[in-house]
């Protein structure tokens, strides 16, 4: 909150100074905007031995954004239910970046922001439309990543270039590209193994509303601690230091979003092992690798959000499968149907029923219900 308050005071000081000085000048800060959203949730599940039903504050975020010297866009966003010291439930920084936007075909962004991987990852969690991001996005785009990285909401710290070019006769760009270099450690973390992740993608937009793209990611995730190795003779050896696991991933994506309809599908494949213990407190030092989980995983989803009453009521359905070892015997599939109702442009009530088939469980099938009230301001 101190960051947001300081920026707001600086903006007010700049506006006040400009009002007193009648000479033409370039505004340092302009177009300042404060925004945020609250997502409340009720979710119930009849999973055997894990039955549950609970109200939940899914997410509370606040952001300050604007322009700097006209050519730069900046944004700072915090999440009230997350933190930077032990990655628990107190506030934490989500976004903090600036982007030079002088040219459409070449923009430079630096700071902490969304990794440029997949269509769904950068989407707003409310307008994304469902009770959560798809399983493949969650596990393979840095939300609750399979390598054991702390929950990072699909973000990392780095530098990225991106742009749109090749305009058609109506002035609409047909091609987009984006590529960045990142620490590989997720949000609010310095690099550990001094190796960097390279993530990028490109898509074509042959007709209005249609995107067809592909993405790639190569890099690593590391932590400092201890682990045990077994040599060729079966002897165990205790090791300590920095240990890394690889992340090599690709994705294919397609989306049509026009005329109040949304149809989207993505496939993601990952190669690379993960740590046995996931980072949650920020103090984990267990560097043992979970070889039993395998070094391959993949996920696929296909969804549709269709208007029943334009701009108000929408029906939705999603098929969502994730295979943590890229094998059918490990698959978890969600079959989802539901509806979203918008009250104006700022309030959405969403409800859905989910039939889950999880082959890793003794009893594969169970049911879930999710109801949300989401407010943007």
């Amino acid at each position: 909150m101190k960051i947001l308050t300081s920026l707001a005071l600086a903006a007010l000081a700049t506006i006040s100074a400009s009002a007193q000085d009648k000479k033409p000048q370039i505004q340092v800060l302009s177009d300042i905007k404060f925004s945020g959203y609250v997502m409340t949730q009720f979710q119930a599940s009849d999973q055997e031995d894990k039955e549950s039903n609970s109200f939940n504050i899914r997410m509370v975020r606040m952001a300050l954004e604007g322009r700097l010297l006209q050519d730069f866009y900046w944004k700072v966003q915090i999440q009230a239910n997350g933190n930077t010291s032990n990655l628990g439930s107190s506030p934490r920084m989500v976004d903090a970046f600036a982007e030079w936007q002088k040219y459409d075909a070449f923009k430079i962004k630096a700071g902490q922001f969304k990794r440029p991987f997949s269509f769904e990852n950068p989407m707003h969690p409310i307008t994304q439309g469902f009770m959560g991001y798809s399983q493949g996005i969650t596990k393979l785009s840095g939300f609750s990543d399979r390598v054991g990285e702390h929950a990072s909401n699909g973000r990392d710290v780095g530098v990225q270039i991106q742009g749109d070019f090749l305009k058609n006769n109506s002035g609409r760009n047909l091609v987009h590209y984006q590529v960045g270099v990142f620490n590989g450690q997720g949000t609010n973390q310095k690099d550990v193994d001094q190796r960097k992740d390279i993530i990028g993608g490109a898509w074509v937009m042959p007709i209005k509303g249609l995107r067809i793209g592909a993405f790639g990611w190569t890099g690593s995730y590391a932590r400092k601690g201890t682990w045990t190795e077994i040599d060729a003779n079966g002897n165990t050896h205790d090791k300590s230091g920095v240990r890394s696991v690889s992340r090599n991933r690709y994705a294919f994506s397609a989306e049509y979003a026009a005329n109040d309809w949304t149809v989207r599908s993505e496939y993601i494949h990952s190669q690379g092992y993960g740590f046995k213990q996931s980072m949650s407190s920020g103090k984990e030092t267990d560097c043992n690798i979970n070889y039993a989980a395998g070094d391959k995983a993949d996920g696929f989803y296909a969804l549709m959000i269709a208007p029943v009453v334009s701009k108000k009521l929408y029906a939705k359905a999603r098929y969502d499968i994730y295979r943590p070892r890229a094998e059918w015997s490990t698959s978890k599939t969600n079959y989802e149907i539901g509806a979203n109702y918008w009250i104006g442009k700022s309030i959405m009530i969403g409800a859905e029923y989910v039939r889950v088939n999880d082959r890793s469980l003794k009893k594969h099938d169970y049911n879930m219900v999710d109801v949300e009230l989401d407010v943007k301001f």
Side-chain angles (χ1 to χ4, degrees):
M1 287 301 295
K2 289 182 178 180
I3 296 174
L4 294 177
T5 303
S6 298
L7 287 171
L9 290 174
L12 290 173
T14 302
I15 294 170
S16 177
S18 298
Q20 295 175 14
D21 190 350
K22 296 182 179 180
K23 295 180 180 179
Q25 57 180 297
I26 298 175
Q27 283 188 298
V28 177
L29 291 173
S30 60
D31 301 328
I32 308 298
K33 177 184 176 183
F34 176 72
S35 62
Y37 54 93
V38 179
M39 303 180 72
T40 63
Q41 178 184 58
F42 173 79
Q43 193 171 89
S45 168
D46 66 357
Q47 181 181 346
E48 189 174 56
D49 299 326
K50 288 188 177 181
E51 292 84 358
S52 65
N53 65 84
S54 179
F55 293 101
N56 176 47
I57 303 298
R58 180 181 162 191
M59 204 175 297
V60 179
R61 288 184 179 173
M62 293 171 285
L64 196 64
E65 61 189 298
R67 303 203 70 82
L68 176 65
L69 298 175
Q70 300 302 315
D71 291 336
F72 289 86
Y73 166 76
W74 58 268
K75 182 176 183 178
V76 176
Q77 182 174 208
I78 63 169
Q79 183 166 318
N81 50 338
N83 115 19
T84 56
S85 59
N86 60 16
L87 309 178
S89 59
S90 58
R92 65 188 176 102
M93 183 175 68
V94 178
D95 289 299
F97 66 85
E99 183 176 46
W100 183 61
Q101 298 181 336
K102 188 175 180 63
Y103 303 106
D104 288 343
F106 185 77
K107 301 176 182 179
I108 305 175
K109 182 189 293 187
Q112 180 168 289
F113 50 90
K114 286 280 191 175
R115 288 162 162 142
F117 190 75
S118 81
F119 283 166
E120 189 166 280
N121 179 22
M123 290 183 177
H124 193 289
I126 295 179
T127 55
Q128 182 271 139
F130 287 80
M131 66 176 185
Y133 294 89
S134 66
Q135 297 178 88
I137 298 297
T138 301
K139 292 296 184 181
L140 304 177
S141 288
F143 284 78
S144 179
D145 205 284
R146 77 182 300 270
V147 297
E149 175 186 283
H150 67 280
S152 292
N153 304 105
R155 293 165 167 85
D156 203 351
V157 183
V159 179
Q160 173 181 304
I161 61 172
Q162 64 178 352
D164 299 276
F165 62 96
L166 197 60
K167 292 182 184 294
N168 62 9
N169 293 334
S170 65
R172 182 175 58 82
N173 287 302
L174 301 178
V175 180
H176 174 88
Y177 74 93
Q178 53 190 36
V179 61
V181 180
F182 301 87
N183 282 339
Q185 297 300 120
T187 54
N188 307 310
Q189 301 288 306
K190 292 182 178 179
D191 205 343
V192 175
D193 61 1
Q194 311 312 311
R195 297 163 57 186
K196 298 295 183 287
D197 285 13
I198 300 174
I199 309 173
W203 59 79
V204 295
M205 299 166 280
I207 62 175
K208 186 177 180 180
L210 176 64
R211 296 189 294 169
I212 302 172
F215 300 84
W217 179 345
T218 182
S220 65
Y221 170 67
R223 66 176 59 154
K224 188 176 183 180
T226 60
W227 66 95
T228 301
E229 286 188 356
I230 302 176
D231 62 25
N233 298 318
N235 300 314
T236 60
H237 303 274
D238 293 330
K239 301 281 188 176
S240 64
V242 173
R243 198 176 198 190
S244 304
V245 289
S246 297
R247 276 193 284 206
N248 299 303
R249 297 171 178 174
Y250 62 82
F252 298 110
S253 310
E255 179 189 58
Y256 177 76
N259 303 315
D260 222 16
W261 285 74
T262 299
V263 180
R264 185 171 65 255
S265 182
E266 298 190 90
Y267 172 78
I268 304 176
H269 184 275
S270 174
Q271 182 276 321
Y273 289 102
F275 291 111
K276 283 186 176 181
Q277 184 180 26
S278 293
M279 185 74 72
S280 58
S281 70
K283 301 177 182 179
E284 284 77 8
T285 59
D286 185 349
C287 295
N288 287 292
I289 292 175
N290 189 3
Y291 291 108
D295 73 333
K296 291 182 175 62
D298 63 4
F300 169 82
Y301 75 87
L303 64 81
M304 180 176 66
I305 303 175
V308 178
V309 178
S310 182
K311 309 299 182 183
K312 277 189 172 295
L313 179 62
Y314 297 84
K316 61 183 180 181
R318 179 169 68 175
Y319 171 81
D320 177 18
I321 183 170
Y322 175 64
R323 304 191 303 169
R325 291 205 302 264
E327 299 172 356
W328 286 107
S329 61
T330 66
S331 67
K332 180 180 178 182
T333 307
N334 293 339
Y335 303 90
E336 305 169 50
I337 58 171
N340 296 331
Y341 182 74
W342 283 90
I343 303 172
K345 296 182 179 180
S346 301
I347 301 174
M348 188 191 81
I349 300 172
E352 59 191 271
Y353 164 75
V354 187
R355 180 66 170 176
V356 182
N357 177 267
D358 188 342
R359 298 190 183 185
S360 69
L361 302 178
K362 182 178 179 180
K363 185 178 179 180
H364 297 339
D365 300 315
Y366 62 94
N367 305 287
M368 292 179 62
V369 173
D370 184 273
V371 180
E372 294 191 18
L373 172 62
D374 303 330
V375 180
K376 299 190 294 181
F377 58 90

